[in-house]
């Protein structure tokens, strides 16, 4: 398997078309960090990192997306650095201990939106008590346990319910045409309620800045290169072995992730968000198989009614990211991620392999 530290060589070996797209999309460089450790530290370093040499010279790969100016610094060694890891028992106990919360009886435990509740097969909507925006709803899952297995059908049902909620908000306010769907799984990912849930907001005037920025960047890329940005993004990742197709959804183990194990799922322009469901289910299953229990998901969608701007090539997109061990007191996000570039310990090539290694039919680990 290719390693992220060999990315420059991997790109150099691509076929011409993918190589050209990689050069348009990414600036990639490799550097070596060096240090001298005192003799007193040698035993400790060897115990934690395997050898002195592993620490003495460290290869760091820097990737910058030239179009979006998202950037990541990869160093495999950071995956081995001292961290407080307690495992899943505490998470399991917290989930069980929070049963019979207000979300377990949403019709009496949560407020409704002024346009009422939207009921799906596996969940029901509520109005968020302290709102992010004028329209801010919660999709309360029928199952309390946020880590209960979730197949593509359940995710499609949830996305259909959020879409119906968006249309209800739009009917109440024709300017609230920009729907945003998110999923904060467990407290480490910003979820204040343990009970499984997604959230929806509908905003006015302009899409949320990060979505609108991506639309503008993709349009500028198409104008400058005569190529579709999202198709080129897929082309490069797929050619490198970082792309997996799941029922037509293009799943990308991102070369410029916002944080650990970020996956981008690219739908087809004009398609419904539900078309992303099988790929989302695969990603969540791959996360669980890798021990990930806390993650964020965001769904980017064109406006629900025309705003006069060009959204024709903007596909439905889901982004998912691993937020680390909920028992860890150290935040995964620091000043680097907020203000400079993301520092990444997990290898996207390993992530792509984990996404591929799940059975296509039921997302269970494939027998080898
Ligand atoms: Zn509950």
């Amino acid at each position: 398997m290719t390693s992220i530290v060999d990315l420059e060589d991997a790109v150099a070996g691509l076929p011409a078309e993918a190589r050209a797209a990689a050069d348009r999309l990414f600036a990639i460089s490799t550097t070596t960090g060096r240090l001298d450790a005192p003799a007193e530290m040698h035993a400790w370093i060897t115990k934690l990192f395997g050898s002195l040499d592993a620490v003495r010279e460290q290869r760091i790969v820097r990737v910058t997306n030239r179009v979006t100016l998202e950037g990541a610094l990869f160093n495999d060694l950071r995956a081995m650095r001292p961290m407080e890891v307690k495992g899943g028992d505490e998470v399991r106990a917290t989930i069980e201990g929070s049963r019979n919360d207000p979300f377990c009886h949403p019709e009496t435990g949560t407020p409704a939106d002024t346009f009422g509740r939207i009921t799906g097969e596996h969940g029901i909507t509520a109005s968020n008590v302290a709102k992010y925006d004028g329209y801010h709803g919660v999709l309360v899952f029928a199952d309390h346990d946020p880590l209960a297995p979730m197949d593509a059908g359940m995710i499609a049902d949830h996305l259909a319910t959020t879409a119906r909620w968006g249309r209800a908000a739009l009917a109440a306010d024709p300017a609230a045409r920009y729907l945003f769907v998110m999923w904060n799984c467990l407290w480490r990912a910003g979820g204040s309620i343990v009970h499984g849930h997604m959230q929806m907001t509908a905003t006015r005037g302009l899409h949320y800045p990060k979505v609108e920025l991506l639309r503008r960047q993709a349009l500028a890329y198409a104008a400058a290169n005569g190529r579709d940005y999202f198709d080129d993004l897929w082309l490069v990742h797929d050619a490198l072995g970082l792309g997996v197709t799941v029922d037509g959804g293009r799943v990308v183990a991102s070369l410029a992730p916002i944080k650990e194990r970020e996956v981008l799922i690219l739908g087809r322009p004009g398609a419904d968000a539900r078309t992303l469901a099988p790929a989302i289910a695969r990603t969540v299953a791959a996360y669980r198989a890798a021990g990930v229990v806390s993650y964020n998901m965001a769904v980017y969608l064109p406006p629900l009614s025309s705003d006069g701007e060009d959204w024709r090539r903007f596909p439905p997109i889901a982004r998912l990211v691993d937020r680390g061990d909920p028992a860890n007191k150290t935040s995964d996000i620091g000043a680097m991620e907020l203000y400079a570039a993301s520092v990444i310990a997990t290898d996207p090539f390993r992530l792509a392999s984990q996404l591929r290694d799940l059975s296509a039919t039921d997302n269970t680990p494939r027998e080898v």
Side-chain angles (χ1 to χ4, degrees), residues 95 98-106 140-146 193-196:
I95 291 169
S98 62
R99 283 190 187 273
N100 301 314
D101 58 1
F103 281 16
C104 282
H105 48 90
V140 179
F141 297 169
D143 197 329
H144 170 84
D145 183 355
I193 306 274
V194 168
H195 187 119

Side-chain angles (χ1 to χ4, degrees), residues 282-298:
R282 173 73 65 90
T283 304
V284 171
Y287 277 3
R288 302 277 169 80
V292 175
V293 294
S294 188
Y295 50 87
N296 296 110
M297 181 184 80

Side-chain angles (χ1 to χ4, degrees), residues 174-254:
R177 59 171 61 89
Y178 303 100
L179 174 67
F180 183 67
V181 175
M182 72 207 103
W183 183 4
N184 299 331
C185 188
L186 297 179
W187 54 93
R188 179 123 179 133
S192 55
I193 306 274
V194 168
H195 187 119
H197 66 285
M198 293 184 187
Q199 296 180 72
M200 308 76 74
T201 60
T203 199
R204 306 156 52 114
L206 192 71
H207 214 316
Y208 289 113
K210 290 181 184 183
V211 187
E212 174 62 14
L213 181 63
L214 180 59
R215 183 186 74 84
R216 293 185 192 189
Q217 288 162 332
L219 281 178
Y221 181 83
N225 300 290
R227 306 265 313 182
D228 182 83
Y229 168 71
F230 302 103
D231 288 348
D232 269 2
L233 192 68
W234 167 253
L235 172 68
V236 173
H237 283 87
D238 188 40
L240 285 167
L242 295 171
V244 182
T245 48
V246 182
D247 282 3
R250 297 171 293 177
V251 185
V252 163
S254 178

